[in-house]
């Protein structure tokens, strides 16, 4: 269980690195925002296709239920995001394009807290399915959260929040991956026969985040003339997570 706690901290707290850099090195993060978005998208796609889905497919002889679960996770998270956008008037992604109002930082905190909790559940499900899936999944979560946290930090700073307040609040909400991971872990233990389906749902969520949140933001924030600046970090995210997972399996 100490390993699960470590994975939870990696998935939550490690994602704050970008925000911390934004507080003290704003020019650095602005310069490499495109690369961070690409790496996050690649890492999430690799976690879904190279780690979670293969593990789920190995546990069932019939792939159709898992494919249905992937589609359910994808559509379910789409519906959830639309509900959050309706309730919180915010875009649940690395960057926010809605009008900046005084209440926006509080809405960001609510949305990200819920998102971090869901990330923890995914880490717990992956860990109980196979221990070696926990770390790559946690790294993929951190890679995805990295650019999103930087967007949140920048908005709160622009709203006049102090650096200590911004950092403290983001630390607290990042720690919500811990209860999420333990709930996912124990839920997986109780419904062990359904783990492949739950992993399929998690993979669908990962694909949704990469394909509909991060990659569109990557296109939006990068000029048409940039090719290698966009493609190479994305491929590095795929290679990093895939290679690390292959080493763990040896």
């Amino acid at each position: 269980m100490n390993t699960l706690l470590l994975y939870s901290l990696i998935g939550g707290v490690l994602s704050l690195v970008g925000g911390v850099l934004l507080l003290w090195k704003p020019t650095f993060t602005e310069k490499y925002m495109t690369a961070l978005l690409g790496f996050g998208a690649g890492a999430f796609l690799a976690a879904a296709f190279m780690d979670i889905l293969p593990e789920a497919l190995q546990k069932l002889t019939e792939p159709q239920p898992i494919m249905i679960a992937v589609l359910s996770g994808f559509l379910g998270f789409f519906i959830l995001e639309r509900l959050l956008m309706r309730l919180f008037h915010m875009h649940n992604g690395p960057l926010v394009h809605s009008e900046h109002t005084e209440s926006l930082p509080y809405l960001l905190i609510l949305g990200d807290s819920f998102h971090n909790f869901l990330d923890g559940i995914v880490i717990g499900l992956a860990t109980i399915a196979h221990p070696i899936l926990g770390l790559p999944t946690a790294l993929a979560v951190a890679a995805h959260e990295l650019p999103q946290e930087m967007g949140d930090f920048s908005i709160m700073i622009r709203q006049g929040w102090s650096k200590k307040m911004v950092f403290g609040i983001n630390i607290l909400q990042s720690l919500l991956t811990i209860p999420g991971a333990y709930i996912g872990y124990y839920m997986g233990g109780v419904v062990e026969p359904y783990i492949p389906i739950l992993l399929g749902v998690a993979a669908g969520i990962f694909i949704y985040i990469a394909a509909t949140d991060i990659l569109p933001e990557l296109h939006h924030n990068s000029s048409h003339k940039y090719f290698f600046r966009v493609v190479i970090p994305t491929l590095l995210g795929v290679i990093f997570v895939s290679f690390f997972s292959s080493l763990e399996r040896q």
Side-chain angles (χ1 to χ4, degrees), residues 80-100:
L80 175 62
E81 186 172 40
R82 295 304 302 182
L83 288 173
L84 288 175
M85 291 171 67
R86 181 179 179 85
L87 294 174
F88 300 138
H89 307 288
M90 61 175 287
H91 180 271
N92 187 27
L95 298 175
V96 178
H97 300 295
S98 59
E99 180 181 0
H100 292 182

Side-chain angles (χ1 to χ4, degrees), residues 185-203:
Y185 186 89
Y186 284 111
M187 182 175 66
V190 172
V191 293
E192 186 173 359
Y194 303 99
I195 287 178
I197 304 301
L198 295 173
L199 286 174
V201 172

Side-chain angles (χ1 to χ4, degrees), residues 7 10-11 14 39 43-44 47 123 133-145 240-241 244:
Y7 292 164
I10 290 174
L14 187 62
F39 184 87
F44 247 44
I123 293 172
L133 286 176
L135 184 55
T137 302
L139 290 171
V141 166
H144 159 67
E145 293 288 345
F240 177 81
V241 174
F244 191 90

Side-chain angles (χ1 to χ4, degrees), residues 79-128:
I79 295 171
L80 175 62
E81 186 172 40
R82 295 304 302 182
L83 288 173
L84 288 175
M85 291 171 67
R86 181 179 179 85
L87 294 174
F88 300 138
H89 307 288
M90 61 175 287
H91 180 271
N92 187 27
L95 298 175
V96 178
H97 300 295
S98 59
E99 180 181 0
H100 292 182
T101 63
E102 292 183 358
S103 62
L104 182 56
Y106 300 100
L107 302 179
L108 283 171
I109 292 170
L110 290 175
D112 283 344
S113 296
F114 181 69
H115 194 188
N116 290 335
F117 181 75
L118 290 180
D119 285 339
I121 291 178
V122 172
I123 293 172
L125 290 175
T127 302
I128 194 174

Side-chain angles (χ1 to χ4, degrees), residues 11-224:
V13 178
L14 187 62
S15 64
L16 299 178
V17 172
V20 173
L21 289 175
L22 182 63
L23 292 179
W24 280 277
K25 299 288 184 180
T27 56
F28 174 85
T29 52
E30 290 176 5
K31 181 178 179 180
Y32 292 102
M33 175 63 77
T34 299
L36 290 170
L37 285 169
F39 184 87
F44 247 44
L45 288 173
F49 288 105
M50 304 303 293
D51 285 322
I52 298 177
L53 273 179
E55 184 67 24
L57 290 169
Q58 287 177 4
K59 294 179 178 295
L60 286 183
T61 56
E62 174 57 50
Q64 186 176 10
I66 295 178
M67 295 300 102
I68 294 174
V70 173
L71 181 60
S72 299
F74 190 98
L75 293 177
F77 214 68
F78 163 72
I79 295 171
L80 175 62
E81 186 172 40
R82 295 304 302 182
L83 288 173
L84 288 175
M85 291 171 67
R86 181 179 179 85
L87 294 174
F88 300 138
H89 307 288
M90 61 175 287
H91 180 271
N92 187 27
L95 298 175
V96 178
H97 300 295
S98 59
E99 180 181 0
H100 292 182
T101 63
E102 292 183 358
S103 62
L104 182 56
Y106 300 100
L107 302 179
L108 283 171
I109 292 170
L110 290 175
D112 283 344
S113 296
F114 181 69
H115 194 188
N116 290 335
F117 181 75
L118 290 180
D119 285 339
I121 291 178
V122 172
I123 293 172
L125 290 175
T127 302
I128 194 174
H130 202 301
I132 65 173
L133 286 176
L135 184 55
T137 302
L139 290 171
V141 166
H144 159 67
E145 293 288 345
L146 195 62
Q148 180 173 326
E149 291 292 342
M150 286 190 291
D152 296 346
F153 271 65
S154 64
I155 291 171
M156 294 180 186
I157 292 295
R158 290 193 192 105
Q159 293 293 331
W161 289 37
S162 68
K163 293 180 179 180
K164 290 183 178 180
M165 179 70 73
V166 172
F167 183 71
I169 288 176
N170 279 274
I171 280 285
L172 291 176
Q173 70 179 30
S174 71
L175 292 177
L176 288 175
T177 56
I178 297 175
Y182 279 94
I183 289 176
Y185 186 89
Y186 284 111
M187 182 175 66
V190 172
V191 293
E192 186 173 359
Y194 303 99
I195 287 178
I197 304 301
L198 295 173
L199 286 174
V201 172
I205 292 173
F206 274 42
I207 296 168
Y208 176 85
I209 291 172
T212 69
D213 277 341
I214 309 180
L215 288 177
E217 292 293 349
L218 184 60
H219 288 306
H220 179 83
N221 289 282
S222 60
S223 172
H224 293 296

